[in-house]
Amino acid sequence: MSTPRRLLARLRHLMAHGAAPMAELVRLVASELVSEVCSVYVLRPGDLLELAATEGLRPEAVGRTKLRVGQGIIGLVAATGQMLNLPDAQNHPAFVYRGETGEDPYASMLAVPVRRAGHTLGVLCVQNRATRRYDGDEVEVLETVAMLLAELLVAAGTADGAEEGIAATVPRRFTGNPLVSGMVIGPILRYGAAAPPRRLLADDPVQEQARLSRAVEEMQRGLEELISRRLPEGDGPREILEAYRLVAADAGWLKRVSDAIRGGLSAEAAVHRVAGELRDRMRRIVDPYLRERLADLEDMVGRLLTTLDPGSGHAPVPPGAILLARRLGPAELLDWHARGIAGFVVEEGSASGHAAILARALGLPALGGVRGVLEISEDGDEALLDADDGLLVLRPELEVKQAYDREMQARGVRLARWAALRDRPTETADGTPVQLMLNAGLALELAQLDATGAAGIGLFRTEIAMLARGAIPDVAEQAAVYARVLDAAAGRPVIFRTLDLGGDKLLPGSPASDEENPAMGWRSLRIGLDRPAVLRRQLRALLLAAGGRPLSVMFPMVATVDEFRQARALLRAEWARVRPAPERLSVGTMLEIPALLWQLPELLREVDFVSVGTNDLMQFLFAADRGTPSLAGRYDILSPAMLNVLAQLHSAAASAGVPLSVCGEVAGRPLEAMTLAALGITTLSMPASGLPAVKEVLASVDLPAFRAVLTSIRRTGAGAASLREPIAGWAREHGLPV
Ligand code: PEP
Ligand code: MG
């Protein structure tokens, strides 16, 4: 029998029957690894690591020798969660001498953290007199024993408070783009991370190997199917899946799993171990291509584990959990919201992406463009998400947490001040009336109408409720949803936007787009006009919901006046059939596609209103994907180009007598909102979270004075990338809350 297997077999026996398992464990490890010393340090309350058992050090030091987390080599291993392999430990800068242990003669040391579900529970180490570096097999054996020891500590309740979450590792800070403001403190939940295996050891390696082979085959079959069924020859996704399949078949990592099984682990524990090693390797890789391949591999590991241990997936979401993911689609986000997350952090995703818009509707604080955190965090690690400042602190210090608690209280006070603003008339300091409306999409957002004192709903994104349900409901169900919206609005105007699906807003089960640029692909109204049945059903539902009340319908992603006419013809056809027909039907368009800007005279003759979707309009005008965080700084609504477009649009709409509003995310930001108002656009539709601050700034700005300043800033700044600085400078000088 090999050393690791013999050791593991004896440990298994010990865990089942042993009277003093820890003392016995250190004795066994010392003898099997041929080391003179083996010790266990266990984390106690107060972040102290106490020598709990030893073979080789003086027995009287047990219970007496204590090191703070971060102190000495043992404390360093606990603080970083990383093992240390030191040929000459006593000359390591972190070494702290503890005479009572009698460790003077031992030169080399291998110390590994004992971790479980993101928490360090202690440290396991071996020492030898000879100056030597421990080899790979020895490291592997000690890490495996540490995995077992973690179970033992938790089962025995020795690691006090471990389950409650002593995360004794060093804090790390990450920055990202704020997607939705807010703060949360809670445990990390890694999207797709596998739960720890429920069975660690196995009697029969042959049987475990067979289970592994079956699971690998099943996974391979799944991938083959995916490749052949879904994807046509030679396109992008196919190549990615092919690469993925190569990784899945890679003999190297499967051999490592087999080795671990031969060592005595169950198939799932072996896969889990190799996954841990992969994560360690990922931490060191800089090359983005290789990092992506390793990410694929980890994904594969997740699939394998679910096959091997089907009950291991979908662990419950702990209260206050902060979800970490590489990317999140809107449907996935809704699913996680239903499961109870309190906030999320994604490596990809920007503020005007659809997941962010949805998160705003759901009130979930979120951060995008955060790199590297997935690789170095574990499920259960405590984190502080400060989405206002674009910060994620992994394993925050106590003082930092206390400071944030105080900040949260201060925010409560600010919110109360905003609530007091609710019933004040919405106008600028010089008395210009403005209309602040809400963007909404879910029934739960309707309460915000009264909470914010908004003038109505300027954009109701109908597809969001469908994404939440995961399907498009029938006419009667849709009508019930829309009627509820009109009821909640109680006579205030509501603009329903027809389905804007496609791009990144996909219903579960719909095939992923194989277009090169889904945002510019077959989406939104384009689907509606090519396959009119779904759009007609929705239009009928809207007319039925109105039941005689006034109804406003707006079409998204309109590129030509002709498309608008076709869509309006569908609406009129339904209108002719529905009784009672709405008392007033207004039909408008979103302005999101630049081509419409050069059809304004014709367009403005046809439409009842126009709402500018700056999220899409900006991405198409600047040819800069709205979902790519690294591009976020490259274009600005406060740029000469955008301000010229908006000013021209305003003057054309005003002379045609067509109401114009802005409903992109920028309308909900104070500086942008006051600039839009100065250009003459005084109907703004925004997320509820932005409304109080916008109302506050508008109430303090003297619009004619600012308009004059803006004109001169636009004149002198022509050609600049952005006019944000001079505009913000003026606002600050005048004490405006921007
Ligand atoms: C927009 O594009 O600005 C808009 C409001 O629509 P959405 O964000 O839903 O694409
Ligand atoms: Mg849009």
Side-chain angles (χ1 to χ4, degrees):
M1 217 188 237
S2 68
T3 301
R5 212 171 122 217
R6 189 175 54 219
L7 174 59
L8 290 189
R10 292 173 72 176
L11 285 174
R12 183 154 42 87
H13 183 79
L14 176 71
M15 282 169 78
H17 311 287
M22 220 153 18
E24 193 59 16
L25 178 139
V26 289
R27 205 181 54 68
L28 271 176
V29 175
S31 85
E32 291 289 349
L33 283 186
V34 199
S35 48
E36 281 115 335
V37 176
C38 176
S39 314
V40 175
Y41 293 80
V42 173
L43 187 72
R44 304 291 189 206
D47 282 2
L48 283 176
L49 292 153
E50 178 188 299
L51 180 64
T54 184
E55 173 74 12
L57 297 184
R58 288 198 194 118
E60 55 272 25
V62 171
R64 264 183 66 205
T65 297
K66 294 190 175 83
L67 291 155
R68 268 180 290 108
V69 169
Q71 184 186 27
I73 289 167
I74 298 297
L76 189 61
V77 168
T80 56
Q82 309 273 309
M83 68 102 176
L84 283 175
N85 185 350
L86 307 171
D88 183 10
Q90 307 213 5
N91 280 316
H92 187 279
F95 182 79
V96 171
Y97 178 68
R98 283 295 159 85
E100 75 275 9
T101 59
E103 66 181 330
D104 307 48
Y106 307 111
S108 50
M109 176 187 263
L110 172 64
V112 299
V114 178
R115 279 171 72 77
R116 188 173 186 276
H119 303 304
T120 297
L121 310 181
V123 176
L124 172 69
C125 76
V126 290
Q127 291 172 273
N128 281 75
R129 281 172 200 272
T131 308
R132 54 173 296 230
R133 183 175 290 280
Y134 296 85
D135 66 25
D137 287 348
E138 289 167 314
V139 173
E140 196 159 326
V141 169
L142 204 65
E143 285 184 334
T144 305
V145 175
M147 196 160 115
L148 291 176
L149 182 57
E151 300 304 317
L152 197 69
L153 290 178
V154 170
T158 319
D160 302 316
E163 288 294 80
E164 285 78 56
I166 295 174
T169 30
V170 280
R172 288 284 305 265
R173 282 171 168 69
F174 298 84
T175 52
N177 310 317
L179 301 184
V180 183
S181 71
M183 273 185 202
V184 200
I185 299 183
I188 287 290
L189 188 65
R190 297 166 69 250
Y191 189 3
R198 292 180 292 185
R199 193 171 62 105
L200 289 175
L201 302 175
D203 288 332
D204 184 352
V206 177
Q207 197 185 339
E208 292 306 300
Q209 186 58 49
R211 286 182 64 225
L212 174 72
S213 306
R214 275 198 304 275
V216 169
E217 262 168 39
E218 201 170 302
M219 180 183 72
Q220 294 276 22
R221 249 199 325 275
L223 283 173
E224 301 290 343
E225 230 178 79
L226 206 63
I227 293 173
S228 57
R229 190 160 43 92
R230 283 271 175 82
L231 300 166
E233 260 331 296
D235 57 1
R238 188 186 178 90
E239 273 167 31
I240 292 171
L241 268 186
E242 292 282 5
Y244 198 88
R245 184 173 57 171
L246 284 181
V247 173
D250 179 78
W253 78 278
L254 284 175
K255 182 177 172 306
R256 294 188 63 74
V257 176
S258 297
D259 287 349
I261 288 178
R262 265 195 302 282
L265 292 184
S266 69
E268 51 270 40
V271 172
H272 205 266
R273 259 218 65 141
V274 174
E277 290 167 10
L278 285 175
R279 211 169 303 136
D280 278 351
R281 273 165 57 195
M282 281 176 70
R283 283 173 197 155
R284 294 190 287 267
I285 290 180
V286 215
D287 181 83
Y289 178 78
L290 280 181
R291 271 179 87 97
E292 232 1 85
R293 294 285 72 79
L294 277 168
D296 286 354
L297 195 59
E298 213 187 345
D299 187 36
M300 203 89 49
V301 163
R303 281 162 182 263
L304 260 187
L305 282 175
T306 331
T307 317
L308 283 166
D309 187 7
S312 65
H314 268 32
V317 170
I322 300 170
L323 181 72
L324 295 189
R326 257 176 238 298
R327 56 188 84 85
L328 267 186
E332 289 170 307
L333 178 57
L334 285 165
D335 191 33
W336 279 104
H337 175 255
R339 292 178 57 197
I341 58 166
F344 69 91
V345 172
V346 280
E347 291 201 336
E348 293 166 22
S350 72
S352 53
H354 288 126
I357 288 172
L358 195 52
R360 221 162 283 140
L362 299 168
L364 280 180
L367 212 57
V370 181
R371 295 268 155 200
V373 59
L374 267 165
E375 286 84 355
I376 75 145
S377 58
E378 302 263 353
D379 275 0
D381 272 351
E382 188 173 46
L384 185 159
L385 169 61
D386 173 1
D388 293 12
D389 283 341
L391 189 68
L392 177 81
V393 188
L394 195 60
R395 308 182 279 261
E397 303 91 338
L398 186 63
E399 306 75 55
V400 173
K401 283 200 297 183
Q402 286 166 344
Y404 271 89
D405 279 342
R406 287 194 297 275
E407 173 61 20
M408 285 200 218
Q409 280 168 17
R411 275 170 203 221
V413 172
R414 198 154 68 228
L415 286 179
R417 200 175 79 229
W418 281 350
L421 273 175
R422 194 189 57 184
D423 300 321
R424 283 241 305 263
T426 313
E427 55 182 27
T428 57
D430 56 285
T432 312
V434 278
Q435 261 211 319
L436 302 188
M437 320 267 284
L438 284 191
N439 291 352
L442 289 172
L444 57 90
E445 290 179 274
L446 296 174
Q448 291 165 346
L449 265 176
D450 290 332
T452 55
I457 297 179
L459 169 64
F460 189 84
R461 292 180 164 101
T462 55
E463 69 281 356
I464 296 209
M466 318 224 173
L467 286 167
R469 278 166 160 256
I472 301 182
D474 63 22
V475 173
E477 284 173 290
Q478 283 192 54
V481 173
Y482 307 143
R484 211 176 314 136
V485 178
L486 289 171
D487 292 347
R492 283 168 285 197
V494 177
I495 297 178
F496 288 99
R497 179 176 75 181
T498 59
L499 282 177
D500 188 24
L501 287 168
D504 68 341
K505 287 189 272 196
L506 295 176
L507 288 170
S510 46
S513 165
D514 55 5
E515 298 164 311
E516 287 258 312
N517 294 301
M520 295 198 281
W522 196 57
R523 59 172 276 213
S524 194
L525 185 65
R526 297 164 182 183
I527 304 180
L529 293 178
D530 290 352
R531 304 253 195 284
V534 177
L535 179 55
R536 286 187 73 145
R537 276 202 295 277
Q538 176 175 40
L539 296 171
R540 200 175 318 145
L542 285 165
L543 290 158
L544 285 169
R549 293 176 279 192
L551 177 68
S552 298
V553 175
M554 170 161 79
F555 296 110
M557 290 294 285
V558 173
T560 63
V561 177
D562 185 56
E563 280 180 352
F564 175 77
R565 288 186 189 131
Q566 288 181 46
R568 188 182 50 193
L570 293 176
L571 176 61
R572 287 186 175 160
E574 292 302 324
W575 187 45
R577 293 171 44 185
V578 167
R579 289 292 167 270
E583 143 199 330
R584 215 172 46 245
L585 179 62
S586 359
V587 195
T589 180
M590 294 202 65
L591 201 151
E592 303 176 281
I593 299 186
L596 269 195
L597 291 168
W598 286 274
Q599 304 165 63
L600 285 181
E602 304 76 36
L603 184 76
L604 292 170
R605 271 200 295 277
E606 305 264 349
V607 296
D608 294 324
F609 60 88
V610 173
S611 192
V612 189
T614 46
N615 304 338
D616 275 318
L617 182 60
M618 279 212 287
Q619 81 163 340
F620 297 134
L621 264 179
F622 286 88
D625 177 42
R626 68 193 259 184
T628 301
S630 56
L631 294 179
R634 297 208 148 261
Y635 55 92
D636 193 349
I637 182 92
L638 300 182
S639 57
M642 268 315 279
L643 296 183
N644 290 344
V645 164
L646 291 165
Q648 284 165 19
L649 201 50
H650 164 68
S651 94
S655 15
V658 172
L660 177 74
S661 62
V662 167
C663 65
E665 299 305 295
V666 293
R669 299 191 201 127
L671 199 62
E672 285 84 340
M674 73 179 224
T675 308
L676 290 168
L679 291 177
I681 305 177
T682 47
T683 301
L684 304 174
S685 192
M686 64 196 75
S689 55
L691 200 139
V694 166
K695 190 166 181 174
E696 196 174 31
V697 79
L698 288 177
S700 20
V701 67
D702 178 342
L703 217 47
F706 175 50
R707 189 172 296 128
V709 170
L710 184 62
T711 307
S712 105
I713 291 178
R714 285 176 62 201
R715 196 171 328 108
T716 49
S722 166
L723 303 174
R724 182 170 293 275
E725 258 323 297
I727 296 175
W730 182 86
R732 279 193 298 266
E733 264 169 43
H734 289 77
L736 300 182
V738 289

